[in-house]
Amino acid sequence: MFVPKSISALQEGYRLSTLRQDALAGLTVAIVALPLAMAIAIASGTTPDKGLYTAIVAGFLISALGGSRHQIGGPTAAFVIVVYGVIEKHGFDGLVIATLMAGAMLIVFGALRLGNLIKFIPYPVVTGFTAGIALTILSTQIKDFFGLDMAKVPADFIAKWSAYAEAAPSFDAASTAIALFTLVVIVLVRRFKPSWPGMLIGVVAATLIVHLANLPVETIEGRFGAIPNHLPTPELPQGLSWARMYDLLPSAITIALLAGIESLLSCVIADGMTGRRHRSNIELIGQGVANMASALFAGLPATGALARTATNIKAGAQTPVSGMLHAVFLLLFMWLLAPLAGLVPLAALAGVLVIVAWNMSEIERLRHFVRAPRGDQLVLAVTFLLTVLIDITVALEVGIVLAALVFIRRMVETTDVTPVGGADLARRAETEAGAKALAALHVPKGVEVFEISGPFFFGITAKLADILDQIEAPPKVFILRMGNVPLIDASGVDALIGFIEKNKLRGTKVLLTRVQPQPLRIMTEMGLTAWIGKDALMPNLSTALEYAKTLIENETATPPATSSASF
């Protein structure tokens, strides 16, 4: 359904009381977003005004055009390392082009109804790259947190910490004290007054202390100049060309995937908090339009912001109007308070981002993984390390592939191809009557019965090929029970064909019993059933055993009448 939630909400009827609740929630979120937008922009290697542009333009459009009633969009910490890397390699114009391309990709993803697919990113992969991003964000704030005298901070994680070690003697006590003060204030406010905007209180208090005590701490205005009090005129980025777009394609794909994943995760969590359901495909389209608009206004990539969305819900938001108003309030703050925002100490914003990094690390979730299966632990650890040491694109690619391999291995372990006799058959029966009937069945000499249990796909075809090695002398008839095979793929069908051909060469007739609907459909479409003949497909084991006995006695016999047994 390609109808934004804002339209659906307004069609339900919009009252003055609802507007009051949305306005209060929007104001609350704007107060939280103001310091965060500037801090995230600075951590991303650009100027604080870019974060404000993103929160205003993209924040308004994500709420207006998206698929969630409560989603709040804007710059997020998850993009810090991606944005920093793109700016470092391609400049800010390159980032703008990559964001434009990512926005277009998100629109295509939504139009193709790929919203549900993106949500299937494995949980260990999401946790691994989120924790990796958290550590990377923390590492970017060491310079400002401790007031280190450094001309430039290296982008590489290991080189960055080596540079910090070399610059350690330049440690500034005033900057460290302000950063710690901001951090402590935020923690205390959250502990005792969780409904108050702890980050804004911490930043304002730190700013007052710095200027009243005349502390020699670097401020936003001191490093970046005055913050403008209006939005820029939208324009296309310089250097836009096919060659440049080709160079930026990997970065654009990363931005699009990350924006899609984070926004849909935020929607899912919002649904859990409110009991409502979002529209994933229109959410992606809204995110795409918002990112393209943000790029035109010289902004950063944007996505759904988990913490701000949760704040919006807790503040009593009723419709997407709250998110739209949050952007309007931010524009008013920018217009009225831009000169004051320039007085904010960078150490205070470093304290804010340390809290953000801690929240992103999800320590409690990481503790759960201590008792998780080894495969999940491996996926998380590899994704985490690649995010920190290489980049998030490689981390996502390798993490998803590794998670798929772990899944295949588990599926292989749950699928068995085993020989069964009378007693074994009885144990596998679902009812007592069935067990007695199966136990009474006689498997004649020259007949082998095997059973496949579980999905029959490319990962377990080798198990079927190994069956013949377990049998000393070729049987006259080989019965393969398939009642517990819920699905089969092309590799499974090919393995069956190879298995039947090998048995034919040995003079063995293969019978398949209780083939389920999906495997039967695939086998028919691929021509297997026509090739082996209808007489090889048996409705149950008793019928197959009767036919096998007849085949042994007279190889020209025709199939017997179907037994009434259901096993």
Side-chain angles (χ1 to χ4, degrees), residues 513-542:
T513 72
R514 291 186 63 200
V515 181
Q516 298 301 305
Q518 191 274 352
L520 182 61
R521 178 176 60 82
I522 299 299
M523 289 161 60
T524 302
E525 290 175 355
M526 293 186 66
L528 174 60
T529 54
W531 176 64
I532 63 174
K534 291 183 178 180
D535 66 322
L537 297 175
M538 294 287 145
N540 49 55
L541 180 60
S542 60

Side-chain angles (χ1 to χ4, degrees), residues 208-232:
L208 288 173
I209 290 173
V210 166
H211 291 281
L212 291 175
N214 198 25
L215 296 177
V217 175
E218 191 173 19
T219 64
I220 289 177
E221 189 173 359
R223 182 181 296 181
F224 301 105
I227 294 178
N229 63 354
H230 59 277
L231 291 175

Side-chain angles (χ1 to χ4, degrees), residues 300-371:
L300 307 174
T303 186
L306 261 173
R308 277 161 273 174
T309 298
T311 300
N312 189 41
I313 294 169
K314 291 176 182 178
Q318 300 297 305
T319 74
V321 173
S322 64
M324 296 157 69
L325 288 175
H326 127 271
V328 173
F329 284 127
L330 280 174
L331 182 60
L332 289 174
F333 293 162
M334 187 178 178
W335 179 43
L336 298 172
L337 305 176
L340 296 178
L343 302 178
V344 173
L346 294 173
L349 293 182
V352 168
L353 284 175
V354 167
I355 292 291
V356 170
W358 173 261
N359 293 339
M360 283 190 70
S361 67
E362 298 180 318
I363 295 298
E364 289 302 319
R365 289 189 180 183
L366 291 175
R367 287 173 181 166
H368 291 322
F369 273 94
V370 174
R371 292 181 290 275

